[in-house]
Amino acid sequence: MASMPTVTDVALAAGVSRQTVSNVMNSPGIVRADTRERVRAAIAQLGYRPHASARRLRTRRSSTIGIRLDPMIDGISGSVLDRFLHALTEQADKQGLRVLLFTATSPEDEIIQLQRLNDGADVDGFVLTSTFAGDPRTKWLIENGIAFVTFGRPWGTDDVSDPQHLWVDVDGWAGLHEATQAAQNAGARRIGYIGWPSSSDTGEDRRRGWHDAMHERGDVTEADLVALEVVTVDGVAEGTAAMQSLRRTAGPLDAVLCASDSLALGAMIANPERVPVTGYDNTPVAAAIGLSSVDQSVGEVAAGVLDLLTGEFGGQVHGAPKSLQPRHQMIKPRLVARAFAAIPMEVLA
């Protein structure tokens, strides 16, 4: 069997030293452009691949990203993070990066896991999900100078533009605003909303999209909007109860929007008039039953996360230089409209 090409082979083919080959692979910015291209051409011609273990020992970089594996919520809305994780893993692999999964029982426990993985040089950076105002995880990572990007904005008024906190999020306001306008353009005037408590920053962001679009139309009062809204925690049973309450208090409805597909599925169960219902997250369940839903474009989110984590502003991953400029990406979701009630209501009941 032919031996694998070595650094020495690449150096001889490119007419440079072994150190120059190492610099091209680990610190390309310090190598002249023409020399860098010559070395890369030799690497491609010979099919050279650096030994991963030896490279980790030399560079203290593992080419690995750590992310907490969140528990499934109810098998419906919880699938969004699962789809994000798959997209992140697939796209990271194309960049020569691996994804390491770990579990934690709380934000405080997650910090313990972050420290353990960082101290052991097991990962170069982290991706955080489920952010909230005053998140202690991001504070700890910033204080310890560890590279990270969050799927979810910081939410605090003082740290949304923090140059040390890189983040990617989906514009929930835009998603519900578009969904509301689509219902209005279809002739709906009295559009109900089933959302989460105000303590949920994500839920409040989505609620404002519905609220602002309703106000912009100018044919409903604030009192109307109060009657058209029901707040509850997430879940199918909760969505059913909320829809029953909405029908009692709001009177005739032309359409109903929900903060999640779980709530929307519940609303469909308590919907004998078959009022059009729109969910949020575009889960497989929504596709299966013909439920219109707002898609979070998790593939774009994953691409944005990797762009920030490995690019110019990423800190440690791939050895990129740090920057003091604030960096974040806001992804615009899209409404996926489907023929309403593609399965008989009695199947849902």
Side-chain angles (χ1 to χ4, degrees):
M1 182 181 294
S3 59
M4 297 293 292
T6 66
V7 171
T8 299
D9 296 329
V10 175
L12 289 173
V16 298
S17 68
R18 286 168 49 93
Q19 184 59 52
T20 299
V21 175
S22 178
N23 288 341
V24 169
M25 292 187 296
N26 301 310
S27 303
I30 68 174
V31 183
R32 288 174 47 184
D34 58 337
T35 302
R36 189 167 63 239
E37 292 307 312
R38 196 162 70 249
V39 171
R40 287 175 173 169
I43 290 173
Q45 180 183 2
L46 296 173
Y48 171 72
R49 297 191 66 177
H51 192 278
S53 297
R55 185 174 186 181
R56 285 196 294 272
L57 288 172
R58 288 196 309 270
T59 64
R60 292 287 290 172
R61 292 201 297 272
S62 65
S63 296
T64 301
I65 301 167
I67 181 171
R68 173 187 176 182
L69 180 63
D70 285 337
M72 291 293 286
I73 299 173
D74 60 7
I76 299 177
S77 295
S79 69
V80 174
L81 289 178
D82 183 59
R83 287 157 52 207
F84 166 70
L85 181 59
H86 277 81
L88 181 71
T89 303
E90 291 171 358
Q91 295 184 35
D93 181 66
K94 294 177 181 178
Q95 298 189 32
L97 297 171
R98 299 174 297 181
V99 174
L100 184 150
L101 303 179
F102 63 95
T103 61
T105 59
S106 67
E108 291 71 25
D109 184 40
E110 186 168 351
I111 290 173
I112 294 174
Q113 302 304 324
L114 297 176
Q115 183 171 11
R116 176 180 62 82
L117 292 170
N118 183 69
D119 290 348
D122 295 314
V123 299
D124 298 326
F126 294 96
V127 176
L128 270 57
T129 61
S130 306
T131 55
F132 55 92
D135 196 328
R137 302 171 301 168
T138 56
K139 181 175 183 292
W140 184 88
L141 288 166
I142 290 172
E143 289 176 348
N144 287 273
I146 300 172
F148 74 96
V149 176
T150 62
F151 174 12
R153 71 200 81 171
W155 294 112
T157 56
D158 297 330
D159 55 2
V160 168
S161 298
D162 188 338
Q164 299 178 90
H165 185 157
L166 310 183
W167 57 269
V168 180
D169 202 4
V170 177
D171 192 341
W173 180 94
L176 260 297
H177 192 269
E178 179 187 358
T180 306
Q181 287 187 325
Q184 291 170 333
N185 292 338
R189 176 179 175 274
R190 296 185 58 78
I191 304 171
Y193 181 70
I194 300 175
W196 299 327
S198 59
S199 57
S200 167
D201 295 314
T202 300
E204 184 61 20
D205 190 43
R206 297 175 187 180
R207 174 194 171 276
R208 287 191 301 103
W210 162 78
H211 184 273
D212 291 353
M214 293 291 282
H215 259 304
E216 290 165 10
R217 191 66 171 256
D219 55 359
V220 293
T221 66
E222 189 63 36
D224 291 329
L225 294 182
V226 171
L228 287 168
E229 180 181 2
V230 174
V231 173
T232 184
V233 296
D234 202 44
V236 176
E238 289 76 7
T240 299
M243 184 66 167
Q244 292 169 339
S245 175
L246 194 61
R247 290 170 55 212
R248 287 194 302 269
T249 61
L253 294 167
D254 300 321
V256 174
L257 308 183
C258 300
S260 72
D261 283 352
S262 298
L263 292 174
L265 177 58
M268 291 178 71
I269 294 172
N271 184 19
E273 297 89 356
R274 301 198 178 190
V275 173
V277 175
T278 299
Y280 195 106
D281 286 334
N282 193 31
T283 58
V285 170
I289 65 175
L291 171 67
S292 296
S293 186
V294 177
D295 189 280
Q296 294 213 51
S297 304
V298 292
E300 291 184 46
V301 174
V305 164
L306 289 172
D307 177 50
L308 292 181
L309 197 58
T310 65
E312 177 185 356
F313 301 91
Q316 298 174 7
V317 179
H318 279 179
K322 293 185 177 180
S323 171
L324 295 179
Q325 296 299 313
R327 294 291 291 175
H328 66 265
Q329 293 187 22
M330 186 72 83
I331 306 298
K332 189 178 187 300
R334 62 187 181 91
L335 175 64
V336 179
R338 297 185 173 97
F340 179 69
I343 62 175
M345 285 292 109
E346 54 268 22
V347 173
L348 292 175

